[in-house]
Amino acid sequence: MNADHRVIALIDMDCFYVQVEQRLQPEFLGKPCGVAQYYTWKGGGLIAVNYEARNFGVKRGMRGEQAKELCPDFHVFHVQEVNGKANLTRYRDASADVFRVLNANFKLVEKASIDEGGKAGERVMELFQVEYIGQLRKYSLDALQTSMGEKDGYWLFNLTRGIETTAVNSRNLYKTISASKNFPGKTCLDTIDKIRIWCHNLAEEIFNRLEKDRAENKRRAKLLTVTCTLTTNETIARSCPINEYSIDRFANDTLKILKQYNKNSSTSNIYTPAIINLGISAGKFLDSVNTKSIADLFSKQTTKVETIRSTENTINWQEEDGEEEDNNIEEKVLEKPITTITTLSIQGDFFRKFKKTDEQINTQLKSENKTTTSSITSFFSRYTTNENVLNSSPNKIDDQYITCSKCHKSILMWNMPEHDDFHYAHELQMEENKTNSIIKTSKPIKRKTNKQKINNQTLDSFINKKPKN
DNA sequence: CATGATGACGCT
DNA sequence: AGCGTCAT
C-alpha cells in the first residue's frame, strides 16, 4: 500500500457533549436532550442537541426555553459553571478519552482540521452543479483551477480521481488553550473592578488547564494573548510572553494590556469603552525538555514523525536520518493539512458519497456497506455500567471477555468496538489487494521521503494490534 | 440586553 | 504579531 492506496477514515462524534452527559446519566439515553450553557437567560443557550430532539426542530443555538416549547420532553443538561463561567472541562476530558483509545490502536491519528470542507464543499457543489464529488471528474483541470484557484483546483482535480496524498500527521494536542466569555448588553465590563475580577477568573482557568497540559504533555506555553471586543465593536488582540505559569501573572498581564485601551482617566474606576468579550489564550508551546531520553532519539521503534514547531526552530524526530530534509516552500504548499484520520467507525453521508464515486471508478469495495454505528455509548462501554455493557455486547459473555465471531479470539469486551473495526479495516485491505487497477497520478506530487515511508505501509501495519494478555 | 466558548487557520 | 473568518 502506498500513498495512493490508503484508507482514511474520519470520525465525527455526533452531538458529543450530549453523549458525554448521557454516559453519566444513562437514564436519558434515547430521550430528546441537549446541553446548554448558562440557564438564567431563557433557559441557557444550547450548544449540543441530540437527534431525538432535532426531530422536534430543536437546534443548536436555541434557548433552552424554546426547545421546551418545541419538545416538551426535552431534557437540558447544563454545562458546569466555575466562577460564573461555563467550563467545558468535562467534554475536553471525554475527548481526551477518545484520543487515548485511538492513539492506543492506530499509529496515525490526526485531529480534524478540514479545509476544503463545509462551506467550500457546498460552494463547489453549487458552482459545478454536482451532487457527488466524483461528478467533478467531467471538468478539466483548467476549469477547476479557473474557478477554485490553481492550488485548490489541482487538489480537487486529483481528489476526484481518488488521489489525495496529503500525509496524515500524528497530532492530537491543542495548539492553543483559551478561555473567554461574553458580556452582552448590560453585563458588559465597564469598570476596572469588574475587569480585574474577570481577568482573574479567566487567568485561573487558563492556569489550571495549562498546568494539566504541562503534566500530561511535557510542554509549556510561551505566549499569552489577550483578546477583547469593545462596545465600539472593535476587536483587539495583544500578546505578551509567558515566563512562568501563575494565576496572578496571567491576570496582571491581562489587566495591564486592557488598561491601555481605557479612554477614561486612570484614576477613575470606569472603563470606557466597555468590554463585551474577553478572552485569554495561551500558545506557542515548547517542549519542556528532557522528556525523551537520548536512547529514545536513537531507537528504531518509531515510524511516526513528530514535528514540533516553535518560534525559532523546527525540530524533527524521525526514524532514519536518510536524505536531507528538503523543507522548501513548494512542499509546504502541498502539505495542506487536510482532514484527519482516525478510524473506527465510519458513519453518515460522508462515506456513502465516497462509496458512490468509488463505484464509478473501479476501486470500489465489494464488502457490503457496513456502517459501523458505534455510538459513543458502545464506544465507551468500558466506562459505563455493567448493565449497559451487557446490552451492547455481542455474542457470549464470559465475565470480562467475549469471543469475536470473526476470529474467535477472546477479546476484552471493552475493546470490542475497536476490535470489530479492525476487522472491517482488514476487509478493506483485502479488497484493495485484489483490485490493482488504480489510476496513476498524472503529475506525481513531490513529497518528503520520510512521509512516503509512513504511507508505504500496509493497512495491517498501520494498525497496532493490541497485545492480548 | 443576549448564539457562547473555543479552536484552527489565512491574510497582511 | 494582530485581525478576520469559519466551524462546531
Side-chain angles (χ1 to χ4, degrees):
Chain A
M1 182 158 83
N2 59 35
D4 297 331
H5 294 67
R6 57 179 187 172
V7 176
I8 300 180
L10 181 143
I11 300 181
D12 179 3
M13 298 288 193
D14 285 316
C15 50
F16 185 67
Y17 290 10
V18 175
Q19 299 201 57
V20 169
E21 296 297 339
Q22 286 176 318
R23 175 165 66 128
L24 261 52
Q25 297 181 61
E27 61 268 31
F28 290 104
L29 284 168
K31 296 182 177 172
C33 306
V35 175
Q37 41 191 10
Y38 309 115
Y39 47 88
T40 47
W41 185 255
K42 299 182 179 179
L46 293 171
I47 55 176
V49 176
N50 72 359
Y51 284 97
E52 286 85 346
R54 287 183 214 184
N55 289 335
F56 289 83
V58 180
K59 291 177 175 170
R60 189 160 50 87
M62 270 183 187
R63 292 281 145 185
E65 288 178 6
Q66 193 187 351
K68 278 281 193 185
E69 288 168 16
L70 292 168
C71 174
D73 289 334
F74 186 71
H75 180 262
V76 184
F77 295 104
H78 285 281
V79 175
Q80 183 189 14
E81 263 181 58
V82 177
N83 286 336
K85 176 187 168 302
N87 187 117
L88 304 177
T89 301
R90 180 178 294 173
Y91 315 108
R92 290 196 187 92
D93 289 349
S95 175
D97 285 343
V98 172
F99 278 98
R100 264 189 283 279
V101 172
L102 297 178
N103 286 326
N105 289 279
F106 299 93
K107 287 180 181 171
L108 294 176
V109 179
E110 182 173 342
K111 203 172 262 193
S113 146
I114 310 170
D115 56 9
E116 310 301 334
K119 286 265 166 63
E122 283 173 30
R123 210 181 95 227
V124 172
M125 289 168 68
E126 174 88 341
L127 207 57
F128 294 96
Q129 290 295 303
V130 295
E131 194 181 352
Y132 297 108
I133 193 166
Q135 297 171 325
L136 282 178
R137 256 177 287 135
K138 64 188 173 202
Y139 294 100
S140 68
L141 175 60
D142 247 20
L144 292 173
Q145 289 183 319
T146 302
S147 308
M148 304 302 297
E150 190 181 325
K151 195 175 104 185
D152 291 349
Y154 179 65
W155 177 78
L156 211 48
F157 181 83
N158 279 320
L159 183 69
T160 59
R161 287 157 177 78
I163 298 163
E164 218 297 287
T165 55
T166 311
V168 174
N169 296 308
S170 218
R171 183 178 62 73
N172 301 315
L173 303 184
Y174 293 110
K175 290 179 175 174
T176 56
I177 288 177
S178 65
S180 65
K181 176 159 173 56
N182 281 358
F183 301 94
K186 199 182 141 191
T187 67
C188 71
L189 305 183
D190 52 6
T191 69
I192 300 291
D193 287 343
K194 289 182 195 171
I195 291 173
R196 188 179 290 112
I197 288 170
W198 281 104
C199 284
H200 185 275
N201 288 346
L202 294 175
E204 186 174 309
E205 182 181 330
I206 286 287
F207 172 81
N208 290 332
R209 287 164 59 190
L210 282 178
E211 279 295 337
K212 193 176 176 191
D213 175 77
R214 182 163 67 99
E216 287 176 1
N217 304 317
K218 318 289 187 194
R219 60 180 192 163
R220 284 175 153 270
K222 289 295 173 188
L223 189 75
L224 189 77
T225 302
V226 176
T227 308
C228 67
T229 304
L230 307 173
T231 47
T232 56
N233 217 19
E234 58 183 334
T235 297
I236 293 162
R238 290 293 179 273
S239 304
C240 66
I242 295 176
N243 294 316
E244 84 174 291
Y245 285 3
S246 144
I247 297 176
D248 285 340
R249 289 195 63 161
F250 294 159
N252 288 333
D253 287 347
T254 302
L255 187 60
K256 196 176 295 177
I257 287 173
L258 293 177
K259 279 180 174 173
Q260 294 175 20
Y261 300 92
N262 184 8
K263 289 178 178 158
N264 225 293
S265 144
S266 61
T267 56
S268 166
N269 189 31
I270 306 298
Y271 186 96
T272 333
I275 293 171
I276 293 175
N277 173 88
L278 180 60
I280 303 181
S281 172
K284 301 261 184 214
F285 286 94
L286 283 189
D287 268 32
S288 48
V289 278
N290 299 340
T291 112
K292 305 213 177 214
S293 68
I294 305 271
D296 284 331
L297 293 176
F298 285 96
S299 88
K300 287 270 178 190
Q301 67 180 357
T302 166
T303 17
K304 85 178 170 191
V305 176
E306 292 179 67
T307 308
I308 281 107
R309 291 172 202 293
S310 70
T311 337
E312 301 91 4
N313 57 345
T314 297
I315 309 159
N316 271 306
W317 286 277
Q318 57 190 78
E319 181 185 359
E320 355 231 335
D321 35 7
E323 290 96 25
E324 271 270 316
E325 265 273 282
D326 44 2
N327 262 328
N328 62 48
I329 308 229
E330 228 175 288
E331 281 218 349
K332 295 249 156 136
V333 170
L334 293 173
E335 282 178 22
K336 182 160 49 174
I338 304 263
T339 316
T340 298
I341 290 240
T342 355
T343 309
L344 270 194
S345 68
I346 294 155
Q347 45 174 251
D349 288 339
F350 179 82
F351 197 72
R352 258 177 240 123
K353 284 185 184 178
F354 251 103
K355 269 197 87 74
K356 190 129 185 178
T357 52
D358 275 355
E359 278 158 14
Q360 293 161 2
I361 322 174
N362 60 5
T363 60
Q364 94 275 28
L365 316 162
K366 286 196 186 134
S367 56
E368 215 358 83
N369 204 345
K370 175 187 170 183
T371 319
T372 321
T373 354
S374 75
S375 73
I376 196 175
T377 329
S378 65
F379 189 78
F380 277 116
S381 57
R382 70 168 99 174
Y383 300 114
T384 52
T385 64
N386 275 336
E387 193 180 296
N388 287 310
V389 173
L390 294 181
N391 285 338
S392 63
S393 294
N395 300 345
K396 82 170 189 210
I397 295 161
D398 183 43
D399 194 18
Q400 288 272 306
Y401 290 88
I402 53 178
T403 304
C404 173
S405 61
K406 287 174 184 150
C407 66
H408 303 291
K409 282 182 187 163
S410 187
I411 307 294
L412 251 182
M413 81 169 108
W414 53 261
N415 260 344
M416 198 54 201
E418 297 99 308
H419 180 81
D420 200 40
D421 283 313
F422 161 73
H423 279 298
Y424 182 42
H426 192 263
E427 284 163 25
L428 289 180
Q429 168 72 22
M430 302 319 273
E431 285 299 328
E432 191 167 288
N433 287 343
K434 282 190 234 165
T435 20
N436 272 337
S437 49
I438 303 295
I439 305 162
K440 291 293 171 196
T441 328
S442 44
K443 268 193 218 168
I445 293 179
K446 201 172 64 151
R447 40 193 7 272
K448 289 184 186 176
T449 51
N450 59 359
K451 296 249 170 93
Q452 261 174 347
K453 277 171 195 149
I454 288 177
N455 289 320
N456 209 4
Q457 302 173 74
T458 65
L459 185 57
D460 279 341
S461 71
F462 190 73
I463 298 171
N464 282 322
K465 287 163 211 168
K466 280 203 147 184
K468 41 192 185 274
N469 55 320

